Amino acid sequence: MADGVCAVSNSTLQAGCREDERWYLFVVTSVIITFGGGLIIFLLQIIYDKWMKLSRRMFPNFYDRDKLEEGELHNKLRHYIVNEVISLQTNKGMVLAILYFLFNVISVTLYINQSDQPLEQCIDVLDTCNWTLYADIGLNVFFLFHFVLRLIAAPNRLKFWFQMGSIVDFCTIPPCALALIIERNWLGMRFMRALRFMQMGEILMTFNSTGTVVSLGSGGGGSVRRRTWSK
């Protein structure tokens, strides 16, 4: 009975939706965030470098580079995220990586489940029948949280911004947020979540990890590297 009511409600909602397509809004949003965000990061890096050089020149006694970096809250936060939260050698990092992979599987499964429907649909945000919408929102909130962690941990944020994993996020997370605003859903770029399966080998590698990977430098000394989920 409930399925029949949901079907009637959905057909009524879609009746006036097919004549006014707005798929281009989803594409434009992802493009603006990708290139606009990259431009902002590039400009901020230039401004920050110029300001630090000028400040050290004007206040040489105040800016002790080593002490400054050790005392910065940002560096402490980044160190914690890199070594604890997204490191594949910690329980937190391993659980986070596995959850990320599983949630990608669920997201792609939802996409396949909706593949027989029109690419663009009108949605009612308050419609409890549309359970896939709420599932997609929850998944993308997690993906956004994971993206922020990787962004903070990235040593080169501009390079990170244009990596494959970031592009996948830009093509899937903003469209979900836009769908809530304009009450339309477009499946056009949701398939890109499947690209994250290319890192399945990195997830499986965690189960065979011994905890650290030691590499010998040219001087014979050992240096410890941690695998991190930052792509």
Side-chain angles (χ1 to χ4, degrees):
M1 181 68 180
D3 293 340
V5 174
C6 289
V8 173
S9 175
N10 185 60
S11 61
T12 303
L13 184 65
Q14 303 306 323
C17 184
R18 298 187 181 93
E19 298 179 357
D20 184 23
E21 295 184 346
R22 299 180 185 177
W23 59 268
Y24 55 89
L25 294 177
F26 296 91
V27 177
V28 170
T29 299
S30 295
V31 171
I32 289 177
I33 290 177
T34 301
F35 292 100
L39 178 60
I40 291 175
I41 291 176
F42 176 72
L43 294 177
L44 287 178
Q45 284 183 347
I46 293 178
I47 293 173
Y48 177 78
D49 291 341
K50 295 291 185 182
W51 168 252
M52 293 304 293
K53 289 180 180 179
L54 179 62
S55 299
R56 286 192 174 92
R57 203 174 294 162
M58 295 176 62
F59 310 102
N61 296 327
F62 179 77
Y63 282 94
D64 186 324
R65 184 177 183 83
D66 295 332
K67 293 181 180 179
L68 181 66
E69 289 184 350
E70 290 177 0
E72 284 180 347
L73 177 62
H74 171 266
N75 284 321
K76 291 182 178 180
L77 176 62
R78 180 178 178 275
H79 183 271
Y80 174 75
I81 292 175
V82 170
N83 292 280
E84 296 292 335
V85 181
I86 64 174
S87 171
L88 297 182
Q89 271 66 57
T90 65
N91 291 333
K92 295 176 185 177
M94 186 180 296
V95 170
L96 183 65
I98 293 174
L99 283 177
Y100 184 76
F101 178 75
L102 290 178
F103 286 170
N104 273 282
V105 172
I106 295 174
S107 181
V108 173
T109 302
L110 289 176
Y111 169 75
I112 295 174
N113 182 58
Q114 296 175 291
S115 60
D116 60 338
Q117 301 176 10
L119 277 180
E120 183 175 344
Q121 301 180 72
C122 290
I123 58 175
D124 183 359
V125 178
L126 301 179
D127 184 8
T128 56
C129 294
N130 194 1
W131 64 270
T132 57
L133 174 64
Y134 296 106
D136 195 41
I137 293 173
L139 291 171
N140 279 281
V141 168
F142 176 83
F143 293 146
L144 178 61
F145 167 72
H146 194 270
F147 171 80
V148 172
L149 290 179
R150 289 167 19 232
L151 178 63
I152 296 175
N156 186 328
R157 291 189 175 87
L158 185 60
K159 181 180 179 181
F160 163 81
W161 195 263
F162 291 100
Q163 288 180 344
M164 185 194 71
S166 301
I167 299 298
V168 170
D169 288 331
F170 299 150
C171 292
T172 53
I173 298 176
C176 179
L178 182 62
L180 298 178
I181 298 174
I182 66 176
E183 295 191 331
R184 286 171 180 262
N185 193 23
W186 187 59
L187 303 177
M189 293 187 290
R190 287 268 297 278
F191 72 94
M192 293 188 68
R193 273 286 152 201
L195 296 177
R196 296 304 268 166
F197 294 162
M198 296 173 61
Q199 293 178 311
M200 182 177 180
E202 188 171 354
I203 295 294
L204 297 177
M205 188 172 57
T206 64
F207 294 101
N208 297 321
S209 175
T210 59
T212 55
V213 181
V214 180
S215 62
L216 296 179
S218 58
S223 62
V224 177
R225 295 184 290 111
R226 285 184 177 270
R227 296 193 189 98
T228 57
W229 185 260
S230 59
K231 295 180 181 180

